[in-house]
Amino acid sequence: METQGLSPAIFDSLCYVSDHRGFFGTIKNSPADFVVTEINVSGQLVTEVQTIEKSERDSPQDIITKQTINPKDAKLKGTTCEVAEFATDILEAGGRLAQTSPDVVDNCELDPCYLLYPVVDLAVQEYLNQFACNVRSVWSSPVAENNLNELSLGLYPDKDERALIHSAVRQTYPFLITFTKSSELFVKPNLDYQELCQLTSEKEADAFFKFLDAKLENSRFSFNPDDCKEHRTAVHHFISKKFGKLVEAKSFSEKDTYGLLKVCITVRFREKIGSSRKRKRTEGTEKQDVYTGFTLQKDNLETLEAISYLSYSLGVLPSDFSYAGIKDKKAITYQAMIVKKVTPERLKQIEAISEKKGMTIHNIHPVKKHLHLGQLSGNHFSIIVRDIQNQNDGSSVCIQERIEEAVYNIKTKGFLNYYGPQRFGKGQNCQSHDIGLALLKEEMEKAVKLLLNPDSFEDPVNNAKQYFIETEDAKGTLALMPHYKIRERMLLRAINRFGMNNEGCVRAWLSLPHSIRIFYIHAFCSKVWNEAASYRFTLYGLKVVQGDLVVCHETANENSPQVHIVTAEEEESSAYTINQTLGGCIDLRKAQNSRV
């Protein structure tokens, strides 16, 4: 029923449950005709989860109403009473602040970022915001004394929770420092930030300290162009003195929009050299992995293509993304994803860029770990079938009756739940399961050539592949290969580095993320399963036989079905029907027959 052609080699052995003639039609005339929504492990559509959490995030006043904290319960989380008392002491210690600028704090425009809502109680947020306003006010006042010390955020015994709060506070208030004393979190003014503001604008200082806190590999930060050499030297000396062991700074010349040569300072993280260089860190400064979850909506994009765009925009590797499964390309799909080393605030910054590429990011929120392949309950499909026609079998049955008959057959007899064409790809000369077989046989060079095997029609991708097959010039092919072909480009980079030999091809495959490598193995397993299911059905038909897996409905439940293996006695007595095979109807995908 698809508009694009399928390779007959993949489906030449498929069987049908009934002799119903069916009807013709086309799907995927446009991406909007095929909508796929992932169902999470809790049985919820990811779009429903998004709607609930988004409505809460968009109504902070409602959150405040729901989460109002009673001071008597402060010991339950964060010792709010102690925070309140300490905040009062800090305000009183502001020297002549109240006398010199009584309305500065009241007019403070600082507001807790949504990053803080999931990890810090609202009462603590208010004290933290007040403290941050006081710090800014003291620094901006020419007469107020800078004697603000520190503010306690309370006790947080869980290490992962402390890590989230450290990151959220520093990203929201880059002019503050967070640290830990015996599971108690504190903040205090960042005097290094104040010193940098003497050399740059506050906006640049904010961005620089957020860059330092994120610690993204291969990321860079550039200050605004600066024509004054003496001023650049002062900035260089500041960075070297304060952060020389962490980052390095260099001045680069570049032309502006008018063609004039400008010089700017670019900062990047130093590479780690050996474990002997690692220093013991206190818990408050220990870098924890940051994970951010979101729902990705993509339109007419491959999952890996979408990840390629996102990773480039965020400055991380494609392998830093995790997901439960790959979704169709020619479709509108919704799926949960988690990205490592990226804060929710940083992810929110690329929303506009993503929309230009056919992606929309929903439900951004911090999480504690990544996703695994298969970590979902299933997918919900909304499919529009167009151009419906009757079979040319001489029948006078109207199309409406034929459709109703088809629906009735599926309800009563089910269908063989084969793996579909998206599992194998649509290459004319090579499918994904061919590559998977080569990998299983450890024929690495063959697997590389199969992946880079061109189809007969001409386009930039096939032209690049054809060039590689003819020359084995990885560097030249890399220049021709479009940037969105993430798998091919990663493989070509590694081959260019390690060589087109068996060892080089092994290292090239290992340079790909595990989720990509295992995809080809799964494709071959799916091909084997399709063949085995056809063989079993041809041999036994609709009869339930010894070795089949069936669901015992009397003791089963939705989340934990009770599975039973049919015995020889049960086969003879016809104790079970085919509709009780695992998955309902004739879903033998997880109910492989022991005879096969």
Side-chain angles (χ1 to χ4, degrees), residues 243-274:
F243 311 104
K245 294 182 179 181
L246 178 64
V247 298
E248 57 183 349
K250 292 184 179 180
S251 294
F252 291 94
S253 300
E254 58 181 21
K255 291 184 179 180
D256 62 10
T257 55
Y258 300 101
L260 300 176
L261 198 63
K262 298 289 184 179
V263 181
C264 64
I265 299 174
T266 298
V267 185
R268 67 178 184 180
F269 289 101
R270 294 186 182 277
E271 295 182 0
K272 296 179 181 179
I273 306 176

Side-chain angles (χ1 to χ4, degrees), residues 444-463:
M444 298 306 192
E445 291 185 55
K446 181 180 179 180
V448 169
K449 291 181 178 179
L450 285 172
L451 179 61
L452 297 174
N453 191 26
D455 289 327
S456 57
F457 56 90
E458 289 192 6
D459 64 7
V461 175
N462 284 311
N463 291 342

Side-chain angles (χ1 to χ4, degrees), residues 50 79 109-110 151 322 349 480 555:
Q50 159 215 321
T79 58
E109 296 181 356
L110 289 175
L151 172 70
S322 58
Q349 293 173 353
L480 297 173
T555 58

Side-chain angles (χ1 to χ4, degrees), residues 548-553 555-556 560-566 576 580-583 590-591:
D548 279 343
L549 301 181
V550 296
V551 175
C552 299
H553 294 287
T555 58
S560 180
Q562 300 298 313
V563 179
H564 173 69
I565 302 177
V566 177
Y576 296 98
Q580 289 177 276
T581 52
L582 187 60
K590 300 178 182 177

Side-chain angles (χ1 to χ4, degrees), residues 152-410:
S152 170
L153 300 184
L155 294 171
Y156 295 89
D158 184 74
K159 186 177 180 181
D160 292 333
E161 186 178 13
R162 289 199 302 271
L164 288 174
I165 297 174
H166 277 300
S167 178
V169 172
R170 292 181 179 184
Q171 289 293 324
T172 306
Y173 306 110
F175 52 90
L176 300 179
I177 290 178
T178 59
F179 59 98
T180 304
K181 294 179 182 178
S182 302
S183 299
E184 185 174 4
L185 272 174
F186 291 87
V187 295
K188 66 179 182 180
N190 187 345
L191 299 183
D192 291 337
Y193 176 97
Q194 185 184 24
E195 185 176 344
L196 181 60
C197 284
Q198 305 302 316
L199 301 171
T200 67
S201 65
E202 286 189 0
K203 184 177 181 181
E204 282 185 283
D206 278 354
F208 176 71
F209 278 91
K210 287 182 180 182
F211 160 78
L212 288 182
D213 177 65
K215 291 186 175 64
L216 297 177
E217 294 183 11
N218 303 320
S219 61
R220 301 187 179 201
F221 174 83
S222 294
F223 289 93
N224 291 334
D226 186 357
D227 293 330
C228 179
K229 185 176 181 180
E230 290 76 13
H231 184 260
R232 293 199 306 270
T233 301
V235 175
H236 275 292
H237 286 169
F238 169 81
I239 295 173
S240 177
K241 177 183 176 181
K242 300 293 184 178
F243 311 104
K245 294 182 179 181
L246 178 64
V247 298
E248 57 183 349
K250 292 184 179 180
S251 294
F252 291 94
S253 300
E254 58 181 21
K255 291 184 179 180
D256 62 10
T257 55
Y258 300 101
L260 300 176
L261 198 63
K262 298 289 184 179
V263 181
C264 64
I265 299 174
T266 298
V267 185
R268 67 178 184 180
F269 289 101
R270 294 186 182 277
E271 295 182 0
K272 296 179 181 179
I273 306 176
S275 58
S276 61
R277 298 288 301 274
K278 293 182 179 178
R279 307 184 306 274
K280 292 184 178 180
R281 302 177 180 179
T282 61
E283 185 181 342
T285 59
E286 184 177 354
K287 183 62 182 176
Q288 301 289 336
D289 286 333
V290 176
Y291 295 93
T292 297
F294 60 99
T295 299
L296 175 66
Q297 174 189 342
K298 61 181 183 66
D299 186 338
N300 201 29
L301 280 176
E302 290 183 357
T303 300
L304 297 177
E305 186 180 350
I307 289 175
S308 174
Y309 287 135
L310 293 173
S311 62
Y312 178 79
S313 300
L314 293 167
V316 298
L317 298 174
S319 57
D320 289 324
F321 287 82
S322 58
Y323 45 89
I326 292 176
K327 301 293 183 279
D328 298 71
K329 176 183 178 181
K330 195 170 184 180
I332 296 176
T333 67
Y334 300 84
Q335 65 185 116
M337 277 198 179
I338 291 177
V339 59
K340 185 179 178 181
K341 306 174 187 175
V342 175
T343 63
E345 185 181 45
R346 175 71 182 100
L347 184 59
K348 194 172 181 63
Q349 293 173 353
I350 68 163
E351 284 183 318
I353 300 175
S354 302
E355 289 180 1
K356 295 179 181 179
K357 296 292 186 180
M359 297 175 286
T360 306
I361 300 174
H362 306 278
N363 185 24
I364 301 174
H365 60 284
V367 294
K368 293 186 177 181
K369 56 184 179 180
H370 57 80
L371 281 170
H372 299 281
L373 284 174
Q375 193 175 338
L376 74 168
S377 297
N379 295 288
H380 178 273
F381 294 84
S382 296
I383 303 172
I384 297 177
V385 183
R386 300 185 185 275
D387 306 323
I388 299 175
Q389 303 175 28
N390 234 327
Q391 291 275 11
N392 296 324
D393 55 0
S395 173
S396 60
V397 178
C398 70
I399 189 64
Q400 183 64 32
E401 292 181 14
R402 186 60 60 86
I403 293 173
E404 291 175 357
E405 183 183 341
V407 172
Y408 176 78
N409 271 277
I410 290 177

Side-chain angles (χ1 to χ4, degrees), residues 23 140 314 481:
F23 54 88
S140 62
L314 293 167
M481 187 66 68

